[in-house]
Amino acid sequence: MRIMTSNIWGDYFGNPVDVRIDDIYGIYKKYNPDILGLQEITKRWYESGLFERLAEEYAWVGTEIADSNNFVPFCYKKSYKLIAKGYEYLAETPDVTKGITWAVLKAEDEKLFAVCNTHFWWRTGPEHDEIRVKNAHQLVRLMKYLKELYNCPVFAFGDMNTTLSSDVFEVYSQNGIKHLHDLADQKDNMSSHHGDPVCGEDGKYHGKKTENDKSFSIDHMIVLDDKVKALQYRIIEDQPALDATDHSPVFCDVEF
């Protein structure tokens, strides 16, 4: 199974959606994830037609929340069966865009698994680090609840706005949660965040590869289960991905 997380670069900065949608859609089609978690899905992204383009192969979780107020929906291949779903606003976060969308799914071989797509608080400074730790505790509670209730692997992924050296990962470690990068047989070691693309004279956005290593990554994929195998963990640096968003999409192929 291939899981992908992608901060799509919401149009908060005068960066319109329409000039970027073809690039980002092309990346999703090329890498063909089974599960695709998105962050920064603003009203313009809801109106862009992206969901409709993907609807032939995918079903959506979270888009049904009224007034497009879920900024972290995700989709899954229609070969999977939806067992349960939900949404949690990150309660300690003063920002309606930050939350967790989750679902329990059944694969064609009848195996269950759960997924949580999230976006943590973003500002810098000790008081903001404390908020992200609270975000992590809330995510851990949900993951442990789903693990206990459904007795299945629980995956979580998204823009956690924090690096591997932060207290957030101490929270995960204390609760038996592992980073899929650590488990992967093959892995990329650059940062998932490459910075804002720049709009050129041609009216199109142009991005470039990062020079930073994985210690600068703020997009992460984690799992609560001792039997999951991660085959490869990849940071997508295709030019269309660099042009479309400030975060390279990340995917991991897993077995369980």
Side-chain angles (χ1 to χ4, degrees):
M1 183 173 70
R2 173 166 292 179
I3 303 172
M4 179 182 287
T5 180
S6 177
N7 183 322
I8 207 164
W9 201 32
D11 56 322
Y12 306 116
F13 316 103
N15 51 328
V17 168
D18 58 341
V19 296
R20 299 184 286 117
I21 186 173
D22 289 344
D23 281 343
I24 200 69
Y25 172 71
I27 290 295
Y28 300 155
K29 289 292 290 183
K30 175 180 178 179
Y31 287 93
N32 194 30
D34 294 281
I35 312 295
L36 172 59
L38 302 177
Q39 301 94 47
E40 296 192 11
I41 295 295
T42 61
K43 185 175 185 292
R44 294 293 185 190
W45 276 111
Y46 273 98
E47 296 170 346
S48 70
L50 177 64
F51 296 162
E52 290 78 7
R53 291 194 194 188
L54 291 166
E56 183 177 348
E57 294 184 75
Y58 293 91
W60 287 88
V61 178
T63 57
E64 70 281 359
I65 293 177
D67 299 322
S68 304
N69 276 336
N70 184 357
F71 293 76
V72 288
F74 71 88
C75 60
Y76 60 92
K77 285 284 186 72
K78 290 181 177 178
S79 57
Y80 298 93
K81 181 180 179 181
L82 180 67
I83 303 300
K85 64 180 179 179
Y87 172 81
E88 293 186 7
Y89 168 67
L90 284 170
E92 299 290 343
T93 304
D95 185 340
V96 297
T97 72
K98 305 301 183 281
I100 310 168
T101 302
W102 62 268
V104 179
L105 300 168
K106 181 184 286 188
E108 291 179 290
D109 62 4
E110 299 298 306
K111 290 181 180 178
L112 293 178
F113 63 97
V115 293
C116 303
N117 178 44
T118 191
H119 193 178
F120 284 9
W121 179 240
W122 62 278
R123 290 188 182 274
T124 58
E127 68 273 29
H128 303 295
D129 293 338
E130 291 178 10
I131 293 176
R132 277 183 289 276
V133 168
K134 292 176 181 178
N135 293 166
H137 279 294
Q138 183 173 341
L139 177 60
V140 166
R141 287 194 297 271
L142 175 59
M143 293 177 74
K144 294 176 81 169
Y145 168 78
L146 294 172
K147 176 73 172 174
E148 181 176 356
L149 187 61
Y150 293 96
N151 189 30
C152 69
V154 183
F155 300 93
F157 40 83
D159 179 358
M160 298 181 187
N161 273 313
T162 196
T163 62
L164 294 168
S165 62
S166 74
D167 290 341
V168 163
F169 282 89
E170 183 63 26
V171 173
Y172 296 154
S173 178
Q174 291 172 355
N175 287 277
I177 293 171
K178 298 177 182 178
H179 202 298
L180 286 171
H181 187 278
D182 293 337
L183 302 179
D185 295 331
Q186 302 176 43
K187 63 193 74 178
D188 290 333
N189 290 304
M190 72 285 286
S191 172
S192 62
H193 185 259
H194 58 258
D196 293 354
V198 176
C199 188
E201 293 182 359
D202 57 0
K204 298 180 179 180
Y205 280 84
H206 304 276
K208 59 182 181 179
K209 295 181 180 180
T210 182
E211 297 180 358
N212 294 325
D213 64 24
K214 68 182 178 65
S215 66
F216 289 84
S217 285
I218 57 177
D219 306 277
H220 303 286
M221 310 181 79
I222 57 178
V223 63
L224 179 58
D225 191 273
D226 290 333
K227 298 179 181 179
V228 167
K229 295 182 180 179
L231 306 181
Q232 59 172 337
Y233 189 101
R234 298 300 188 194
I235 312 297
I236 298 174
E237 291 192 312
D238 297 24
Q239 194 60 48
L242 299 176
D243 293 344
T245 171
D246 57 336
H247 293 245
S248 289
V250 181
F251 74 83
C252 186
D253 293 343
V254 299
E255 287 184 351
F256 58 92

